[in-house]
């Protein structure tokens, strides 16, 4: 497997991240081209980057950005005051799929959550992503919950 | 319906909130009695309360605390930099269930998310909560996702 490094995203990574979000069967319909939407993406990036509970991650292979995900570390009362790690917006660049980079990215994320004292990692995946259950279940995730969304 | 008010929880509300978390078919197995676990709950409360992206809410009817939920406002890149509202740890005190207080609490939460600029509200519910789907779907939530958890 290619050597990967994982690090906090910088503003310079933003076009590559947005390109990955858009180059996706579901994302294609809801993202805008970088040129059209760059201000809304920049604003969101600034807010994520300023929040100590957020970690927007990029995975690099050599000089190329090959993956991304967003981690949020959430304090909560339930489960005796357990901290949770929330995973959102997982993507691997199209040309690099099928090489288990996603597995490496999630394994990194799980360890990062553990090192920050989280006692559970949680995520949801759109039911239309037919390959996702096998992927997450191989990593040990259990499909114990239903995921609801309400667009405003 | 009883008149409800919704407000940010204070430290003084913590025993009542923890009692609601524990007095629950699933919560009973994973919460501790207030006396045993109070320090871990206090620590978690302090962290939630200090985070401007978190809103731990209590619903009051007269002088009594009758419900709680935790809201988190999450910046993100996907969906063109959309902000999400995340709902966790929804509870109505046992003696007051069946009076549509939960519906009022969620309706408040949805409006709070809207007023903070969120374009989607999301939550997960344990598949063992057999009444939850009807409750959330009546409020307009769509069960579009699978919810995964990995205990660490």
């Amino acid at each position: 497997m290619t050597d990967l490094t994982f690090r906090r995203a910088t503003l310079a990574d933003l076009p590559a991240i947005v390109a990955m979000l858009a180059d996706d069967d579901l994302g294609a319909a809801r993202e805008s081209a970088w040129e059209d939407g760059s201000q809304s993406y920049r604003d969101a990036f600034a807010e994520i980057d300023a929040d100590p509970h957020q970690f927007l991650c990029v995975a690099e292979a050599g000089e190329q950005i090959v993956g991304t995900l967003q981690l949020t570390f959430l304090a909560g009362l339930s489960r005796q005051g357990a901290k949770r790690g929330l995973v959102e917006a997982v993507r691997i660049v199209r040309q690099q799929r099928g090489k288990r980079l996603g597995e490496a990215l999630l394994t990194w994320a799980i360890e990062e959550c553990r090192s920050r004292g989280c006692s559970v990692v949680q995520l949801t995946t759109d039911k239309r992503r037919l390959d996702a259950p096998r992927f997450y279940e191989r990593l040990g995730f259990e499909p114990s919950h239903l995921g609801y969304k309400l667009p405003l």
Side-chain angles (χ1 to χ4, degrees), chain A:
Chain A
M1 192 163 71
T2 326
D3 265 0
L4 290 182
T5 54
F6 305 98
R7 61 170 174 80
R8 184 179 277 271
T10 67
L11 186 57
D13 301 318
L14 200 46
I17 299 171
V18 173
M20 285 188 281
L21 294 176
D23 186 17
D24 171 83
D25 294 345
L26 303 181
R30 59 195 186 206
E31 304 302 336
S32 61
W34 169 247
E35 296 71 23
D36 300 333
S38 58
Q39 195 55 51
S40 63
Y41 290 119
R42 278 169 198 271
D43 292 347
F45 177 82
E47 201 170 337
I48 295 166
D49 198 45
D51 184 347
H53 299 103
Q54 298 254 26
F55 190 127
L56 178 64
C57 172
V58 289
E60 269 181 325
E63 304 276 285
Q64 198 203 351
I65 291 174
V66 295
T68 182
L69 59 73
Q70 182 179 356
L71 274 180
T72 309
F73 310 102
L74 291 164
L77 291 178
S78 51
R79 299 168 188 245
Q80 303 187 43
K83 206 167 288 182
R84 298 150 187 264
L86 173 70
V87 179
E88 292 271 357
V90 179
R91 296 289 188 285
I92 297 294
V93 75
R94 188 177 292 275
Q95 309 86 287
Q96 300 287 339
R97 289 180 200 162
K99 298 180 182 174
R100 315 200 92 164
L101 302 188
E103 197 171 312
L105 177 58
L106 265 291
T107 300
W108 168 86
I110 292 164
E111 286 312 308
E112 185 67 24
C113 290
R114 200 191 309 269
S115 77
R116 297 213 186 200
C118 297
S119 59
V120 63
V121 184
Q122 63 188 47
L123 59 86
T124 68
T125 183
D126 193 298
K127 288 177 179 171
R128 291 170 291 177
R129 298 193 188 279
L130 301 179
D131 295 335
R134 199 167 43 112
F135 173 72
Y136 289 115
E137 288 166 32
R138 202 166 57 212
L139 287 158
F141 284 88
E142 289 190 29
S144 53
H145 283 60
L146 300 171
Y148 282 93
K149 295 207 191 267
L150 175 71
L152 297 182

